[in-house]
Amino acid sequence: MTADLPSIDAPAALRNILQQLQAEPQRYKLFGIYWWPVKALLRRAGYGPDQLYMLGRYHDPVTGAMVPPLGLTAMLEAAFEEYGRNARYPHADGLVENPDGELVTVFDEDAGF
């Protein structure tokens, strides 16, 4: 079934992420542990604090290390799935699940929350 789906247009996906976060910055937490590669991809695409204040250089090595090694398309797919799951079924206190089901906190010092 997935062979029938078009591949993710990464530049368009990153623009959409940027626009969503410009409108509602707190939604970065919905990406869960995938926030760190998403943030890195946004920065690599040329976006920075001028476009979205939270796109500084901070990276949490502990939660960032929980992200499984994936290619670009698979990582974006996983990030979007995580975003949707966390939006539909949020945990108390803003916690998110890592791939092992452990509850963790995603906190980006650049965002400040």
Side-chain angles (χ1 to χ4, degrees), residues 8 18 33 52 60 63 77 84 93 106:
I8 289 179
L18 179 72
I33 63 167
L52 180 64
D60 179 352
T63 55
E77 288 171 351
D93 300 324
V106 175

Side-chain angles (χ1 to χ4, degrees), residues 1-85:
M1 178 79 128
T2 58
D4 297 338
L5 297 175
S7 181
I8 289 179
D9 180 348
L14 293 171
R15 267 192 316 278
N16 289 335
I17 291 169
L18 179 72
Q19 290 170 348
Q20 276 209 7
L21 294 177
Q22 286 171 329
E24 297 181 74
Q26 70 278 11
R27 295 181 73 82
Y28 85 89
K29 291 186 176 215
L30 295 176
F31 286 107
I33 63 167
Y34 294 96
W35 167 242
W36 306 113
V38 166
K39 182 178 181 179
L41 286 170
L42 287 165
R43 290 184 50 81
R44 221 174 296 149
Y47 301 118
D50 289 342
Q51 291 76 32
L52 180 64
Y53 78 96
M54 67 176 66
L55 292 180
R57 298 206 177 273
Y58 179 76
H59 172 82
D60 179 352
V62 175
T63 55
M66 295 176 185
V67 178
L70 300 169
L72 174 63
T73 299
M75 194 286 300
L76 285 172
E77 288 171 351
F80 292 143
E81 286 177 26
E82 181 74 6
Y83 185 98
R85 186 173 29 260

